[in-house]
Each structure stands twice: as C-alpha cells, then as structure tokens.
Amino acid sequence: MANALQADAITVQFGGLVAVNDVSFSVPEGGIVSLIGPNGAGKTTFFNVLTGLYKPTSGVVRLGDEIITARPPHIIAKHGLARTFQNIRLFGLMTAEENVMVAMHSHMRSGILRTLLKTPHQRREEAQAHARARELLDYVGVGRYASEYARNLPYGDQRRLEVARALALQPKVLLLDEPTAGMNPQESAAFVEFVRRVREEMHVSILLIEHDMSVVMRVSERITVLDQGQKIAEGTPDEIKSDARVIEAYLGKSGVEGGR
Amino acid sequence: MARHTSIESTSNRRWAIGFTAAAAFLFVLYHWIVPNSPQPVHDFVQGWFSNANTNEMIVYIIMALGLNVVVGYAGLLDLGFVAFWAIGGYVAGWLMSSFLGNFQINIFGNPAPGLEMGIHITFWWVLLLAGGFCALWGIIIGAPTLRLKSDYLALVTLGFGEIIPQVFVNGQDINGFNLSNGTQGITPIDPIKFFGFRDLGPFDLDYKFVIYSVICAGMVMVSLRLRSGRLGRAWLAIREDELAASMMGVPLMRTKLSAYAVGAFAGGLGGVVFATHINGVFAERFNFSISIIILAMVVLGGMGNVWGVMVGAIVLSWINGIGLQQLGNTINTTFNTDINFPSFNFLIFGSLLILMMIFRREGFIPEARTRLVMHEHDRDNEEVQ
C-alpha cells in the first residue's frame, strides 16, 4: 500500500540536544497509526517537523508524492496535512461555524475586491462554505453550536470542533495530538469509534499521538514507539504490548513483569 | 446559517439606519435650524457641538475604522497610525493645490481662480489615489516588520509614526526639492465640487459634512463586508491564535499585510478628508498623540466591533476637540475656579486606556456581547419552532 505520509531519517537538533534522532516513519493510505512514548520522547517535536513548525536538521518528509520538508505551515496544510492540538487551540472569539470556515481559506479564492463588490462568484463561494461548514459541524455532532463562540462550547465538543475544523482542510492525513486527553473512559471509547468512522467516511489516513494506552491499543493498526528521540519499536498493537524495550521505556527495568 | 446571517444583518441594518438618520439630522441642524434660531441656541450649539468639530469627528471615525481593521480584526498593535493620516493629507496637498507649481495638470480638477498652476485632480480620484498610496506604504513598512512579534511590531510602528511627520516638518528642502513646505504647510486646497453646482470652500461645513458622511458610510461598508468574508475570518483567526491559523492554511504574512494595507487605505482617506476640511496640510498637526487617541477610540469602543468603534471615535473626538474645554469653562465659571482642563486631556486618555485594559478589555460595545445577545434570540426562536 502506498504511503500517505512518509518521514525518512528525521533528525532534529537543538544546539547540542538531539530531540529526534534518525527516525523514519510512515502512515499508509487509509491507515490509523499511533506514535507513543514517555514524556520527553520527542513525539511533539516530531509532530512539529511534520507540520512545518520546525525545520529538521536532516531528513525528508513526503506527503503523497510531494516533498514538504520545512515548507511553511500554511502550504503544508493546503497540501492536505491537518492537525488538532494537544491543548485545544480553537479561535475562541469566533463562532464554531467560522472556526470551520477559516480552514477552508486555502480552498477559497475571493480576495478584497470580490468581497467588497460581493460578486456572484464570492456569494456562491460563501454560500458553499457555509453549507459545508454546517455539514461538518453536524457530522462531528456539534451542529447545534454553530453560531456559538468556540470558547463557550463544552470541553468534549471543543475537541470535536477541532476535528471538524481539521476536516475542512480536506486533508489526506489527519494528525490528532492527544485527542482523548481529559476524557473519561466512556468518552474515550466513543472517540475511538468516531476516529474509525472519520477514517472510513472522510477517506483520510490518521496519525495519533496518545497517552491513553487503552485508546492506542484499540484504535491503532500500527504503533511506533519513541524514547529519548529514538525509535525503539514498531509493529501491531499485540507486538508492541509484548515488546520488552517498550515496557522498559515506560516502566523501567523492574517493571517488565507488570507491563499492561 | 441563514437565520444567523439574517439576525446579524438586521442588527447592522438597524445601526445603518441610525447612522443615516443621525447624519441627516445633523445636516438639517447645521444647515437650517441653527442659522434660523435665536442667538442663545446658536451659541449653545456652536459652543458644544460646533459643525467644525462634527466634521473632524467624521475624520476620526474613518481613521478609527481603519485602525480597527489592523488592531481590532487582525490583532496587530499599531502605534504609528498618524503616519498614514499625514501621508494621505500630503497627497491631497500635492494633487489638489497649486503647490507643485512646476506642473500644470488638471484632471477634472477644481482650482480656485488665479491658482491654476500645479496639479488639480478631482477630490474623488484623490481619495482613491491617497488611499492607494498609503496602502502601498503600509505594505512597504509592513513587509519587513510584520514578521516581528507584537511588542516589537508596536515599537517599529511607533518609530514610523514619529519619522514620517518629521520628514514632512523638515521637508521644505530635500536636495533643493520642496516636498512639504515645512512648517508652513500647503494651503489652500482646491474646493470640492458639490454635485457640480457649488464649490465647497472653507466655510461650507454643512455640505462637506454630507460628503464626509458618505465616505464614512463607505468605510463602514468596507469594514463590515470584509469582516464577514474569507479575509475577515482569516484576520480574526490570526488575532485569536496565530499558530493555529497558519496550520489551518492561512498564510500569515500575506493576510497581515492585507489588514495593514486596508487600515492604511482608510488612514489615507482620513488624510484627504481632513485636508479639505481645514483647507490645508500642516505638518505639526500630525503628532504622536493622534496615534494614541485613535487607538483609544478603537479600544474604548470595542475592538473589532464597527459600531462600537464609531461610538468610541465620536465620544473621544468630542472630548478631545471641544467637550473637555467646554466642560472646563462651565465648571470654572460656575465654581469660580481657574483650572486648565484641556491640559488634563492626556491624563484622561491614558487613564481610560489603562482602566479599560484592567476592567473591560472588550470595550464598551464589544463584538462578543452584541453577538451573545443576538444568540439568545436565536435559541429562543429555535425552541419555538
């Protein structure tokens, strides 16, 4: 299967500190894969390289056939890499609907003049964007909050709104950064179902950073484990569960017996 | 969505009707009521709400709306807005007077008899030219500086707002070229042709008020339309969370530059309008305090909300223009005191800004509040259906 996203030999150095060391990694088309690792393992740095926030010291990132290494974030987004944030970053004082519509920016054309003159093209484009935003809000289940300020939404719905916003980019790959942080087990379980449904119906590949192992094990098809900037394991959930190095990384040497 | 839009546009329509009604009333007041009233009424109106001050108010509204695009929509702190006002004014000075006497150009211009040399271009074209020229300057200044984070951006704009007026103050001999006529300024400015039948000179304040109000209404429309479109959403997204905006496909530099250019355009309009209002361009009028006053208008009124900013501009330009002085005079005569009230102007503006930041950051008529009230309606309607 072709890879939707592929990162080859990524190294990120901050001065003398090697945050990510020669990590290769791929997301197959239509797959759900996870990136896990203890705190400080380099997951977020790696994520930031993918989304264009950091320029890697060396290595290449490909989105489909396109090389996106170190290109500006908005270009990468336009090429089809969308993300959510670990600590929700919605546009608080904009309505839920507007939040979603912001992400359609790169797919819309109207500039200052067309907007001022309200040309037929601009009206049509706006109407389509409104309709699409409504659809997406309904799809993730926050349609009733469409004209509510994003910051007034309940926590779980803010997470869903972030997904709707990311989907509005029409992404090929969706990066979810700790999407179930702060959710109770029932909510997490529902979210797992939701992620599966998004993958099927929106035809996206999904990359997940997650701490909650029950979520990771249930939803992922493949898992990559980082520790101290290195890739220490890669495989199916079952393989990872029984991998000695992973258990060691998470629980220390003495914890091998008690691994989950 | 349809319901949401309609409620928002109903509110806008109400405000627009209010604006038109107020403008019509003021015109009738200055054109007909005041000249035909007994002396005390005449004195009262000219003392407290003179039509010169009302016209100046419009100038401030236009500029505050422009700065609102930069500060209120896009969240970029600009402490040098006066520079665009000055540049716009001098464009009017160059293109609507006999100042550049080496040229003899007349494009639908309206020179006063005996002042035919120089460049004379019709007021309406000059508006666009000045706006465009300022927008260009906005981009020139913005391109290198908008990469800076907010505090540094504020410092650079502060410098820009100091430098440009100084260039004009000292611009009477740039290698032999007289750019600005130094502190003497450029005067007189060509009268505006009012629908072809009347020249509007320095004393036709009432007719000029109509023209200025139309320009102001145009600026309101520009603000509202841009806000509700693709660009407006991108501006707000940058204000709310720059990083998230860029990751959602919003190109930061270009979007910020467009906000800067639109704001500068409005500054240029304000400059031309002010030049025709006072019939000249005078370098020392463009000082730093103007930038702060306009910023205070935006902050006080409610950042991002067009109508709030207008109210802020009206109140503050009145206080700054004649309100404080009149209040002071009244208090001084009533209590037989001798306090120099206008000297407290900056104390008042400074304290206002600080108090607003501490207690009411969203302004007196914030966008959030008006919207939330609307939405309560929205929900009620939904429940009824």
Side-chain angles (χ1 to χ4, degrees), chain A residues 29-243:
Chain A
E29 227 161 75
I32 301 182
V33 300
S34 292
L35 191 62
I36 64 172
N39 286 332
K43 303 185 297 285
T44 301
T45 308
F46 191 71
F47 237 50
N48 287 340
V49 168
L50 297 181
T51 52
L53 206 57
Y54 294 158
K55 193 174 155 47
T57 316
S58 65
V60 178
V61 184
R62 280 195 191 80
L63 184 64
D65 303 325
E66 203 95 29
I67 292 181
I68 57 167
T69 324
R71 304 206 59 188
H74 70 269
I75 302 282
I76 293 178
K78 190 181 173 185
H79 279 305
L81 188 67
R83 69 170 293 177
T84 65
F85 297 88
Q86 183 180 346
N87 31 11
I88 302 172
R89 301 185 78 145
L90 289 164
F91 309 121
L93 279 178
M94 300 174 78
T95 63
E97 186 186 35
E98 280 183 316
N99 266 271
V100 175
M101 289 172 80
V102 166
M104 299 175 188
H105 187 90
S106 56
H107 299 298
M108 294 169 77
R109 290 275 73 86
S110 301
I112 291 183
L113 267 183
R114 278 183 187 168
T115 309
L116 287 182
L117 300 174
K118 283 208 172 179
T119 61
H121 172 275
Q122 192 263 354
R123 283 163 188 259
R124 208 177 325 119
E125 197 178 64
E126 281 291 307
Q128 282 166 357
H130 276 302
R132 178 79 185 127
R134 282 283 159 145
E135 256 174 55
L136 283 170
L137 290 174
D138 286 336
Y139 180 74
V140 302
V142 295
R144 73 206 133 121
Y145 295 125
S147 44
E148 195 73 59
Y149 278 109
R151 70 169 181 191
N152 295 343
L153 264 60
Y155 181 80
D157 288 332
Q158 290 195 5
R159 288 245 173 245
R160 286 169 177 273
L161 176 55
E162 264 207 323
V163 175
R165 184 177 68 172
L167 289 174
L169 267 169
Q170 304 170 13
K172 299 186 187 90
V173 180
L174 180 58
L175 310 188
L176 303 172
D177 194 351
E178 297 196 23
T180 64
M183 288 186 180
N184 64 35
Q186 286 83 4
E187 288 169 328
S188 296
F191 196 83
V192 167
E193 284 316 304
F194 175 63
V195 169
R196 287 217 181 95
R197 195 160 65 91
V198 168
R199 187 260 304 261
E200 298 302 328
E201 295 172 9
M202 295 287 165
H203 311 290
V204 293
S205 320
I206 289 173
L207 168 57
L208 204 69
I209 289 187
E210 186 53 76
H211 272 310
D212 185 339
M213 283 305 143
S214 66
V215 170
V216 172
M217 293 301 160
R218 237 180 313 162
V219 78
S220 321
E221 283 150 7
R222 292 185 70 76
I223 298 172
T224 300
V225 189
L226 291 186
D227 185 31
Q228 295 177 7
Q230 311 262 7
K231 182 161 90 176
I232 57 168
E234 190 167 34
T236 62
D238 284 333
E239 287 164 4
I240 295 298
K241 242 184 263 185
S242 48
D243 188 303

Side-chain angles (χ1 to χ4, degrees), chain B residues 113-197:
Chain B
L115 295 171
E116 281 88 359
M117 68 282 197
I119 305 176
H120 301 277
I121 297 177
T122 176
F123 173 69
W124 301 102
W125 285 31
V126 172
L127 277 179
L128 291 180
L129 289 171
F133 190 59
C134 283
L136 186 70
W137 270 100
I139 291 170
I140 291 172
I141 295 302
T145 51
L146 285 175
R147 295 175 196 284
L148 301 172
K149 291 276 169 223
S150 56
D151 301 0
Y152 302 100
L153 177 67
L155 282 179
V156 173
T157 55
L158 181 70
F160 179 61
E162 284 291 291
I163 290 167
I164 294 293
Q166 284 303 315
V167 168
F168 288 127
V169 168
N170 299 299
Q172 73 272 48
D173 184 7
I174 302 175
N175 249 338
F177 176 70
N178 186 351
L179 179 76
S180 65
N181 217 17
T183 45
Q184 284 171 307
I186 301 172
T187 185
I189 302 284
D190 293 346
I192 305 171
K193 249 257 188 296
F194 189 67
F195 294 116
F197 72 86

